[in-house]
Amino acid sequence: MTPSSQSPRPRAVLALRSPRLRTLLIVYFSLLLAAAMLATGMIVYRGGYVAAERLVESIQVSSLQSIQGELDGYLSAPMQVNQTNSTLARGGFLDLENTAGLVSVLWSQGTLFPDLGTIAFANDRGEFVGANRPENYVVLALQAQTGGAIRKLEPGPQGEITSTILSEKPGYDARQRSWYQDAVAAGHPTWTDINLSVTTARLDLSAVTPYYEPTGAFRGVFLVDVALPQITRFLQKHLPDERAVVFIVDRKGALVGSSTGSVVQRNGNGAGLERATATQSADPVVAHAALYVQEQWGGFSNLQGAVHGTAELAAGLHFISAAAYRHGNGLDWVIVSAIPEAAVTGPIQASAQSTLALGVLAFLLTVLGGVWIAHWVANPLAQIAKAAKAIGAGEWSEPLLLHRRDEVGELAAAFNGMAQRLKMSLDALSQEVALRTRQAHDLEESEQRTRAMVRAMPDILFVMGEDGRFVDCQSPNPDHLYLPPGEIIGKTVAEVLPPESAVAFTDLLERTRAEGTLQTLEYTLPIGDRDMFFEARTVPYQQGQTLALCRDITERHIAARELRSLEQQAAQSQRLEAIGTLSSGIAHDFNNLLQAILGYAELLSFALKPGSPPHEHAEKVKSAAERGRVLVQGLLAFNRKEPLELGPVSLNREVEQSVALLERTLPKMVSIRTHLAADLRPILGDANQLSQLLLNLGINARDAMPEGGVLQITTRNVELSERDCATLLDAEPGEHVLLEVADTGVGIEPSHQARIFEPFFTTKEVGKGSGLGLSAVYGIVQNHRGSIACTSTLGQGTRFRIFFPAIEDVVRMDGPAPVEPGASPTGKGTILLVDDEPAIRDLGQGFLEDKGYRVLTAANGEEALARYRGHWEHEAADRIDLVVLDLGMPGMGGRKCLQALQGIDPGVRVLIATGYSMTRQGQGILDAGVAGYIGKPYRLDELASKIGALLSEE
């Protein structure tokens, strides 16, 4: 109806203009609404089936997207947890060796993600630590404590480890598990295959991440279990219709989850459980939909993207949709939905049939309530919506003004109060966030400084609780710890340290707590293959705890011990040197006495009839003098003053010759064994002295084994380092030859070992030892620039180790030609015999004159010079042919006399005869031009032979 078709009474229209216009508008609006609803109903009714497919496709796409979004959120959490733990461990915030701390972190993560299963870590030793918050247990497989068994423990309220064992399985090694090997093989975060739990009929999926140190070293695998029944709940939650079916399969067609429930079934023989394939599912809709996917779209393995279709299934016509679902790190599934036709077309038909009835009702409701609702409800709600938008934009200054006392007015008042409280809360929250941010920043800086200080300290840091248990342990060097940190934390001192150290350390802690001051302690721990020394300093700490800093002082102890050893060696060397100087003086005077005794005994022997009692007495005097001579030679050898004939020597040859003599000398119950190196290097030595050394050591070993035993002689090449020489007196670094002589005898008392090389010191009974055997050995070793060491244990034997410097020269294996003994020769010539002992002068003069020589004598150097000069200057035809000169005389002395004689006659012949032995200084005298040397006491025939040899050189 248009305005031109209205009644021709304009006045009436003008009078009723306002209400009639409202009525016309309401009627016009109502008719338009009725027509629109009728047309809509017809269109819906006619095009319902066409729109159904589009609606189904939209529903399917929406449902798939919803399921995919839910899966993405659920499956991202495990990988995120593993990545977070790797980041914490790599940054030093998660100690993987601290079992209790690791369990606490994993337990707290289970609180944040309650839908996840076990969160765990397995290290490269096969040990496993995990926490399962949904099922409320902790699992441990620590090989050092459980021998490889995996234990399921009941945790405390905060996830702490308790001793309550829920179950235990032996022989567990995480490195043998497929998920561990999958992570190692992949080298990056990945998903494992789906596993079926035969006890709970539940499917589990694991997210694993291999963990590498910042240095690149592999340390283990982080793991998070995902319970696949949760996916079934997702599918049931997001069904487009209660009659629809949605399921997920892997690319092999095995069920992962289904809105119908179980994805596990009995195997063929009914004896166990197995994963059901979609085509063999007990639900007919799932089975037929899976067959349709295989027949129409080539199966699950080839499906890419999303596809849609219609199929006649066992329960009627269904709309089928399948979409590939991929999640990072190798997860590849397919989501399939089946929506029955009745779920879509039924509502459309019912809606079309009731459209007309609803149209009438809607017409009436629109006319009667449209205006009232628009003004009474819509306008206040619009104002509230406007005010809410303003608050959302941050405008808080304009309150909502509605002066009404009904529910809308109460809503407006409540809205204003909520807005005011929200503003106050946001202001307070902003201040709290700023404060917490500053505090967190300050705390992080403090923790970084503390960690840097702890890492920079060379000391081991322990924090001890008030109950005496270890609370924390930090060490820059794990090799300095008696036990790993994981085995220390939570235990008492008595449970960690050896008994003796534990008692001392416990006393230290008690003193610290009682006195409240710094306390110190030095203690020893057997770590590795040696004893290590530590210095502990303890101070009171917060909340009744005690802080202990322990420093490794092993090197300081070793240096102090070596210094004490060197001081002892130096003292012994000085003592032996002093004794040697004394023995040298005694030897000189004793040699002069022995010379007279031996000489007159020889003269008596020559003068008496062989076999007569006087002759036998003279021979016994000679024998006693000879023994005294050997005794003096031992003193001189100890003092390193015996003249040497050094040359390249094979020590093996000297050992073999000495062993041959010892085998004839030692008792039969002493067994001699040798172990001689075939490639032994030569040394620079005197064969006679080396032979004496071996004989003395052999006789000493014999006396130490009165009941028999084994004498072992060993030679080999060794190289001494600077450290070796620190414990050997007079040794120098380099190549050496080692001579080792060991016996299985009674051993030496520890208090006697420092004096065994002193002359006349012996532990034997009176009359069974002179005390010069080992002192002579010591002197011979010193003569050869060697070093000797002795170790002995009571009841187990003694071992001497002698180190000789090695040389490169080739050793001549043939010895010197033996000298055939014979009668002392006679001769002619003038001899000047110079000696301060009258008995020696008279003895020598009488003997040599009997041999045909003309003999002149002098009691000192001055008298000798006067006689020689007189014969040289005034009696040229009767000059002195040889001077027998003693070095040790009062007055001028033999050395100055020699120089003066050479000044008179550069060609003078001098035979040195002295009770002193030729040291390096004496060797210099020999090199200065003397004709020869003979040591006192000498036999008269030796003197005659030496003089005859020198005079015959003309």
Side-chain angles (χ1 to χ4, degrees):
M1 183 178 294
T2 64
S4 60
S5 62
Q6 300 294 325
S7 175
R9 293 182 294 180
R11 292 184 182 274
V13 171
L14 291 174
L16 299 174
R17 180 176 300 172
S18 178
R20 288 178 63 188
L21 179 60
R22 182 180 299 172
T23 302
L24 290 175
L25 290 175
I26 292 173
V27 171
Y28 182 74
F29 175 77
S30 299
L31 291 175
L32 288 177
L33 178 61
M37 293 182 64
L38 181 61
T40 301
M42 295 298 294
I43 293 173
V44 169
Y45 183 78
R46 292 181 179 181
Y49 290 95
V50 176
E53 292 184 0
R54 296 179 181 176
L55 178 61
V56 169
E57 182 175 346
S58 176
I59 293 173
Q60 290 173 325
V61 171
S62 176
S63 177
L64 291 176
Q65 289 178 347
S66 177
I67 293 172
Q68 289 176 344
E70 195 77 16
L71 286 175
D72 286 339
Y74 182 64
L75 296 177
S76 295
M79 287 297 179
Q80 181 182 357
V81 170
N82 284 343
Q83 184 61 40
T84 299
N85 289 337
S86 296
T87 302
L88 290 174
R90 193 172 292 108
F93 300 99
L94 183 59
D95 187 358
L96 300 180
E97 296 298 328
N98 185 348
T99 303
L102 183 58
V103 168
S104 177
V105 172
L106 300 181
W107 187 261
S108 62
Q109 291 174 347
T111 304
L112 298 176
F113 300 94
D115 292 331
L116 298 181
T118 300
I119 304 176
F121 173 74
N123 61 27
D124 54 352
R125 300 187 298 273
E127 297 177 342
F128 183 89
V129 178
N132 190 310
R133 187 60 185 268
E135 298 183 19
N136 197 35
Y137 66 83
V138 172
V139 287
L140 298 177
L142 305 179
Q143 295 178 353
Q145 298 177 359
T146 65
I150 182 167
R151 292 182 174 180
K152 183 176 180 182
L153 307 176
E154 180 183 4
Q158 303 299 323
E160 62 269 23
I161 300 173
T162 67
S163 60
T164 304
I165 302 176
L166 301 179
S167 64
E168 181 174 1
K169 297 180 180 180
Y172 185 87
D173 187 343
R175 296 171 296 184
Q176 306 302 322
R177 312 304 291 181
S178 60
W179 54 264
Y180 188 102
Q181 297 172 356
D182 290 345
V184 174
H188 57 75
T190 187
W191 291 97
T192 65
D193 292 334
I194 296 174
N195 299 312
L196 172 62
S197 174
V198 297
T199 58
T200 62
R202 187 183 70 184
L203 297 182
D204 289 330
L205 177 68
S206 298
V208 292
T209 299
Y211 171 65
Y212 299 89
E213 294 280 8
T215 60
F218 172 75
R219 284 295 308 279
V221 176
F222 285 101
L223 171 141
V224 177
D225 284 340
V226 175
L228 292 185
Q230 183 69 20
I231 296 177
T232 295
R233 290 192 290 272
F234 293 161
L235 299 181
Q236 294 171 345
K237 177 181 177 182
H238 294 280
L239 285 177
D241 185 85
E242 62 182 4
R243 292 165 291 183
V245 173
V246 180
F247 61 93
I248 301 176
V249 297
D250 59 22
R251 290 294 184 169
K252 296 180 181 179
L255 283 172
V256 176
S258 174
S259 63
T260 62
S262 175
V263 295
V264 178
Q265 65 184 16
R266 292 285 177 180
N267 58 22
N269 56 19
L273 299 176
E274 63 182 7
R275 288 179 60 192
T277 60
T279 56
Q280 297 176 349
S281 173
D283 188 276
V285 176
V286 174
H288 292 164
L291 291 173
Y292 178 83
V293 172
Q294 289 185 345
E295 294 172 359
Q296 295 297 321
W297 298 318
F300 300 105
S301 60
N302 299 322
L303 188 63
Q304 303 294 328
V307 291
H308 309 281
T310 305
E312 187 70 29
L313 303 182
L317 186 65
H318 282 70
F319 298 96
I320 308 299
S321 179
Y325 172 76
R326 293 182 176 87
H327 193 270
N329 307 109
L331 204 61
D332 192 1
W333 293 342
V334 175
I335 305 174
V336 181
S337 68
I339 303 175
E341 181 186 36
V344 179
T345 59
I348 294 175
Q349 292 176 353
S351 177
Q353 293 173 359
S354 60
T355 299
L356 293 176
L358 291 175
V360 175
L361 180 61
F363 174 78
L364 295 175
L365 292 176
T366 302
V367 173
L368 296 175
V371 176
W372 183 83
I373 293 175
H375 290 281
W376 190 255
V377 178
N379 287 345
L381 292 178
Q383 294 182 33
I384 294 174
K386 181 180 178 181
K389 291 182 180 179
I391 292 174
E395 299 177 3
W396 300 87
S397 60
E398 297 183 3
L400 182 63
L401 300 176
L402 287 177
H403 303 289
R404 293 173 58 167
R405 297 183 178 181
D406 55 6
E407 291 81 354
V408 176
E410 293 177 357
L411 177 62
F415 181 85
N416 288 334
M418 180 192 68
Q420 184 178 4
R421 289 191 297 273
L422 181 60
K423 184 177 185 303
M424 295 174 61
S425 298
L426 288 176
D427 291 342
L429 180 60
S430 298
Q431 296 177 0
E432 181 69 18
V433 169
L435 177 61
R436 293 291 179 88
T437 302
R438 290 194 301 271
Q439 291 177 346
H441 180 71
D442 295 342
L443 179 60
E444 182 179 359
E445 288 185 348
S446 176
E447 290 179 350
Q448 290 177 352
R449 287 194 300 269
T450 302
R451 285 195 294 269
M453 291 172 62
V454 171
R455 287 194 298 268
M457 289 191 307
D459 302 331
I460 306 170
L461 183 146
F462 295 108
V463 178
M464 313 297 298
E466 191 172 4
D467 58 354
R469 296 183 181 274
F470 288 92
V471 177
D472 193 9
C473 171
Q474 300 289 334
S475 174
N477 188 352
D479 293 338
H480 288 177
L481 290 177
Y482 186 65
L483 292 175
E487 301 180 23
I488 294 177
I489 302 301
K491 295 182 178 179
T492 64
V493 175
E495 294 172 336
V496 172
L497 299 181
E500 183 176 351
S501 300
V503 171
F505 210 89
T506 301
D507 292 341
L508 178 70
L509 296 176
E510 292 177 352
R511 292 200 309 272
T512 303
R513 286 193 291 267
E515 300 177 13
T517 58
L518 172 68
Q519 302 291 329
T520 60
L521 169 71
E522 289 189 8
Y523 62 98
T524 307
L525 286 179
I527 298 179
D529 56 353
R530 63 169 182 162
D531 288 339
M532 297 187 66
F533 299 87
F534 295 91
E535 180 184 60
R537 295 174 177 266
T538 57
V539 293
Y541 194 43
Q542 59 186 7
Q543 298 177 355
Q545 296 177 338
T546 303
L547 182 67
L549 295 177
C550 302
R551 176 167 296 181
D552 177 16
I553 58 172
T554 304
E555 294 300 327
R556 190 171 75 191
H557 267 264
I558 293 175
R561 185 168 61 244
E562 292 179 352
L563 178 61
R564 289 194 299 270
S565 176
L566 291 176
E567 290 174 348
Q568 292 173 357
Q569 293 177 11
Q572 183 181 11
S573 177
Q574 293 173 356
R575 184 169 63 253
L576 295 177
E577 187 68 26
I579 296 174
T581 303
L582 175 63
S583 65
S584 176
I586 295 174
H588 170 261
D589 295 337
F590 197 46
N591 274 335
N592 284 334
L593 296 175
L594 289 175
Q595 181 62 66
I597 295 172
L598 183 61
Y600 282 111
E602 283 187 274
L603 291 179
L604 287 174
S605 180
F606 294 155
L608 297 173
K609 180 180 179 181
S612 63
H615 183 271
E616 292 295 330
H617 295 163
E619 288 297 322
K620 289 181 180 180
V621 173
K622 285 174 58 180
S623 177
E626 287 289 348
R627 288 197 298 272
R629 179 184 182 186
V630 173
L631 180 63
V632 174
Q633 287 176 346
L635 285 172
L636 294 177
F638 167 78
N639 196 32
R640 291 173 284 172
K641 294 181 178 180
E642 185 69 16
L644 300 179
E645 297 181 4
L646 298 179
V649 174
S650 169
L651 190 58
N652 282 351
R653 182 181 64 190
E654 300 304 324
V655 170
E656 291 171 351
Q657 293 177 353
S658 299
V659 167
L661 179 59
L662 288 172
E663 287 177 342
R664 296 191 300 268
T665 304
L666 300 184
K668 297 297 182 181
M669 62 270 205
V670 176
S671 174
I672 303 178
R673 302 175 184 174
T674 60
H675 189 276
L676 309 181
D679 59 344
L680 196 68
R681 301 180 63 180
I683 64 173
L684 193 65
D686 184 298
N688 291 331
Q689 285 205 357
L690 291 175
S691 177
Q692 181 182 352
L693 177 147
L694 288 165
L695 292 176
N696 285 358
L697 289 178
I699 294 172
N700 187 75
R702 177 203 64 188
D703 295 341
M705 298 184 290
E707 304 298 329
V710 176
L711 173 62
Q712 175 76 42
I713 303 177
T714 305
T715 62
R716 65 174 182 272
N717 297 317
V718 296
E719 182 174 357
L720 295 182
S721 63
E722 292 284 353
R723 192 178 186 89
D724 297 329
C725 295
T727 58
L728 292 171
L729 186 63
D730 297 333
E732 296 181 357
E735 297 289 340
H736 284 71
V737 172
L738 171 63
L739 171 64
E740 185 174 282
V741 180
D743 63 62
T744 59
V746 296
I748 304 173
E749 289 282 353
S751 59
H752 295 163
Q753 291 185 20
R755 302 186 60 193
I756 59 175
F757 297 120
E758 295 181 7
F760 309 114
F761 177 79
T762 178
T763 60
K764 302 173 185 178
E765 298 178 9
V766 177
K768 292 188 177 181
S770 64
L772 290 175
L774 292 180
S775 62
V777 168
Y778 179 83
I780 293 171
V781 172
Q782 296 299 306
N783 286 341
H784 288 75
R785 295 191 304 109
S787 179
I788 184 171
C790 173
T791 57
S792 181
T793 303
L794 288 177
Q796 298 182 15
T798 303
R799 181 180 64 166
F800 290 92
R801 292 186 303 145
I802 304 172
F803 299 88
F804 296 106
I807 61 173
E808 299 291 341
D809 296 353
V810 178
V811 180
R812 291 175 52 195
M813 299 307 295
D814 54 336
V819 178
E820 293 294 335
S824 57
T826 60
K828 295 181 180 181
T830 301
I831 298 173
L832 175 59
L833 179 60
V834 185
D835 201 298
D836 61 324
E837 288 290 338
I840 295 178
R841 293 197 305 271
D842 294 342
L843 174 66
Q845 182 177 14
F847 175 74
L848 292 176
E849 287 178 349
D850 288 343
K851 294 296 182 180
Y853 297 102
R854 180 187 177 194
V855 180
L856 305 176
T857 61
N860 51 53
E862 291 85 352
E863 186 177 345
L865 287 177
R867 283 184 174 275
Y868 193 88
R869 184 180 291 112
H871 281 262
W872 172 260
E873 294 176 352
H874 306 293
E875 301 181 24
D878 189 20
R879 292 180 178 176
I880 297 174
D881 299 296
L882 179 67
V883 179
V884 179
L885 177 63
D886 180 21
L887 290 181
M889 296 183 298
M892 178 179 287
R895 292 177 177 80
K896 291 183 179 180
C897 180
L898 172 64
Q899 295 173 357
L901 290 172
Q902 291 175 334
I904 298 172
D905 179 9
V908 62
R909 292 185 179 184
V910 179
L911 173 63
I912 298 297
T914 179
Y916 292 114
S917 61
M918 302 303 288
T919 60
R920 292 178 182 177
Q921 182 181 1
Q923 187 67 36
I925 295 175
L926 295 177
D927 296 338
V930 299
Y933 163 84
I934 186 170
K936 295 179 181 178
Y938 49 78
R939 294 191 302 273
L940 295 177
D941 56 351
E942 289 182 67
L943 178 63
S945 297
K946 183 73 76 171
I947 292 174
L950 292 176
L951 294 180
S952 65
E953 292 178 358
E954 295 180 351

